Amino acid sequence: MEKYLIRGGKRLTGEVTISGAKNAAVAILPATVLSGDICVIENVPNISDVYTILKILEHLGASVRFLNKTTVEIDARHLNTTFIPHELTCNMRASYYFWGAILGKYGHARVSMPGGCDFGVRPIDQHKRGFEAIGATVEIVDGMLDVSAEKLIGNNVFFDKVSVGATMNVMLASVMATGVTVLENAAKEPHIVDLANFLNSMGANIMGAGTDVIKIHGVKELHGTNYAIIPDQIEAGTYMVAAAATCGDVLIKNVIPKHMESISAKLEMMGVKIEEFDEALRVSAERPFSKVDIKTMPYPGFPTDMHPQMAVIACLAEGTSTVTEGVWDNRYRYVSELQKMGADIKVDGKMAVIEGIEEFKAAPVKATDLRAGAAMVIAALCCDGETEIEDIYHIERGYEDIEIKLCSLGADIKKIDVPEISGAVAM
Ligand code: UD1
């Protein structure tokens, strides 16, 4: 079992370069299926979720070749199945983008239900409704999603709930449908725009991505392309919080400052200094931090995927801060882990009420999910003593070379491999 050992108490200083966006990559890579051709994708993050998606592409019959560390060539000319088994989908949510991509290309798909972070119930009704609206039948049998259509025909789809996944999935399924599909109450996240730009670079005709109405004129076929994925908003936000919480001074490169506005605004309210450049942000801070109130919302609101990380810096602020979760039912599994490090947090319904503390105390903790894991890393960086973080596979799903990047900023973080203890101990 791999763990991180972090000896905290060091200010982060220097420069860090942000990788390609996980949530864009995990949709764009499946979308190459639609091309039936060769696609070269640049700025692909080296994270385990990407490797899982690439394994699924290989299972479908694509050839996958890394041209360098962050550029991958996918040859989707000879796919030979529309079926994806459980063992390939169970560790990640985004495997569900193969529903839309395979349906859009072949008119039918049989894909095992997805895994991913546990935030409470994660329904798929909006995906289903969208597929049905454009003429598909959707059934869930034995843990498999079966989706098929004699012909996909454009239609109006009104989402009852703003959903990133459903917006992208229906976009994928309708890009080669006959006629026009209009997605209303669509999600507006940067990765939605990135997926639409990618599809347009393959010959699709999608307008309005980034607004809540997306219009997709179906095209007969798509072709291969070269495309570079946008920088990761959440990785950048995580380094912003890490820099600020350690009272550091870090230049964060390869970011789109516009995507960071909601995060920058909250950090600035706490007293953090943020200097904006064309493709970089410099973050520097000194304590005391002012208290903050945050509510997570769909883009351009404050991202839910920055909730646990912001809760960490809120612990170090003066007075009472709050973080209200506006997207997921249960995103509070990080709380009991932070409490082990001395945090004073109470969860009241969907709100975490956070009393400021002087400092965290080192303790053995777990990464309970991807962003909760990032929060543990930040808390560990802030406290004297050695913190051990277990279950770091969650963190590696979404952060490329996190220990290397943090070491280059002066952190003391090591990955160690500890043998698992097997068998029960008689008491
Ligand atoms: C994506 C992100 C995840 C992020 C989330 C919100 C990926 C791979 N994951 O997840 O990191 O936290 O966006 O920004 O990109 N909902 C329904 N019915 C549906 C679908 C969703 O009710 O059919 C609800 C969900 O329960 C949730 C809300 O809509 O309350 C948002 O979910 P959604 O945007 O779909 O999240 P994901 O795409 O799964």
Side-chain angles (χ1 to χ4, degrees):
M1 182 191 5
E2 289 186 324
K3 296 182 183 186
Y4 290 138
L5 279 188
I6 300 178
R7 188 164 284 282
K10 298 187 169 58
R11 294 175 66 228
L12 296 187
T13 55
E15 296 183 1
V16 65
T17 301
I18 297 307
S19 303
K22 163 188 169 291
N23 288 348
V26 296
I28 285 173
L29 294 169
T32 60
V33 165
L34 287 158
S35 71
D37 201 355
I38 300 173
C39 296
V40 175
I41 316 292
E42 296 167 36
N43 208 28
V44 176
N46 270 259
I47 51 176
S48 63
D49 270 10
V50 159
Y51 301 137
T52 307
I53 293 282
L54 294 176
K55 253 196 230 158
I56 297 177
L57 282 165
E58 283 180 330
H59 157 86
L60 295 174
S63 7
V64 172
R65 195 160 64 102
F66 272 92
L67 304 182
N68 61 44
K69 190 181 173 197
T70 57
T71 305
V72 65
E73 180 190 79
I74 294 156
D75 181 347
R77 285 177 300 176
H78 307 291
L79 304 191
N80 50 39
T81 179
T82 56
F83 166 76
I84 306 176
H86 174 73
E87 59 272 21
L88 288 174
T89 64
C90 60
N91 290 325
M92 69 181 305
R93 199 76 198 153
S95 55
Y96 61 25
Y97 291 126
F98 284 99
W99 300 344
I102 301 176
L103 172 67
K105 178 72 179 170
Y106 298 106
H108 57 90
R110 185 153 202 262
V111 180
S112 186
M113 294 296 282
C117 293
D118 178 4
F119 305 144
V121 186
R122 295 185 75 168
I124 57 156
D125 56 307
Q126 301 302 311
H127 302 243
K128 188 166 177 282
R129 277 193 39 196
F131 292 150
E132 285 170 348
I134 59 169
T137 326
V138 184
E139 277 185 309
I140 298 166
V141 185
D142 299 334
M144 307 291 297
L145 184 117
D146 260 306
V147 57
S148 60
E150 261 175 40
K151 192 170 179 188
L152 291 165
I153 300 172
N155 199 352
N156 275 26
V157 179
F158 185 91
F159 294 113
D160 296 334
K161 183 106 196 192
V162 179
S163 161
V164 171
T167 302
M168 303 239 248
N169 239 334
V170 184
M171 197 191 283
L172 291 167
S174 59
V175 78
M176 288 199 280
T178 305
V180 182
T181 302
V182 181
L183 309 182
E184 293 185 65
N185 200 24
K188 297 182 278 210
E189 268 66 5
H191 30 293
I192 306 266
V193 180
D194 210 29
L195 176 64
N197 288 343
F198 170 69
L199 292 169
N200 284 343
S201 80
M202 297 202 297
N205 183 350
I206 303 173
M207 286 179 301
T211 75
D212 53 12
V213 181
I214 302 177
K215 207 175 219 185
I216 304 156
H217 289 263
V219 294
K220 284 222 160 55
E221 55 177 14
L222 297 171
H223 51 74
T225 185
N226 272 38
Y227 190 81
I229 291 173
I230 53 167
D232 196 305
Q233 177 205 28
I234 305 300
E235 188 197 14
T238 302
Y239 282 98
M240 289 171 78
V241 176
T246 59
C247 297
D249 184 347
V250 176
L251 184 68
I252 301 171
K253 300 194 317 193
N254 191 35
V255 299
I256 298 175
K258 175 96 192 131
H259 294 169
M260 309 310 301
E261 278 173 357
S262 61
I263 302 165
S264 298
K266 287 296 171 186
L267 287 172
E268 282 176 333
M269 281 179 203
M270 299 184 79
V272 175
K273 269 209 226 141
I274 300 178
E275 221 179 314
E276 192 177 304
F277 303 94
D278 284 349
E279 291 176 3
L281 291 173
R282 181 176 168 194
V283 178
S284 57
E286 279 172 30
R287 284 179 82 176
F289 300 127
S290 305
K291 67 190 171 71
V292 68
D293 294 301
I294 293 169
K295 177 161 187 194
T296 69
M297 278 186 280
Y299 191 83
F302 192 91
T304 174
D305 288 353
M306 283 300 299
H307 164 164
Q309 302 90 313
M310 283 302 285
V312 172
I313 189 166
C315 286
L316 300 175
E318 291 188 325
T320 310
S321 298
T322 59
V323 184
T324 304
E325 179 55 45
V327 176
W328 295 110
D329 286 343
N330 181 6
R331 190 154 203 168
Y332 293 105
R333 293 176 72 213
Y334 72 89
V335 169
S336 54
E337 298 304 307
L338 273 189
Q339 283 167 340
K340 292 179 192 164
M341 298 181 73
D344 181 351
I345 308 180
K346 284 183 192 64
V347 179
D348 181 3
K350 289 204 162 189
M351 183 190 280
V353 181
I354 302 169
E355 298 297 338
I357 55 171
E358 215 31 61
E359 56 188 354
F360 290 108
K361 295 183 188 66
V365 289
K366 274 195 171 83
T368 51
D369 63 55
L370 167 56
R371 307 304 172 184
M376 294 311 136
V377 170
I378 298 170
L381 291 171
C382 296
C383 67
D384 289 332
E386 195 169 71
T387 299
E388 207 177 278
I389 306 179
E390 262 183 39
D391 292 349
I392 60 170
Y393 62 90
H394 285 296
I395 302 173
E396 293 181 341
R397 284 188 41 219
Y399 289 91
E400 175 174 319
D401 293 340
I402 189 169
E403 72 277 20
I404 297 172
K405 290 187 184 185
L406 285 172
C407 279
S408 78
L409 295 173
D412 182 347
I413 168 169
K414 276 195 277 288
K415 182 152 84 173
I416 54 161
D417 201 354
V418 186
E420 306 241 10
I421 301 166
S422 60
V425 179
M427 300 284 288

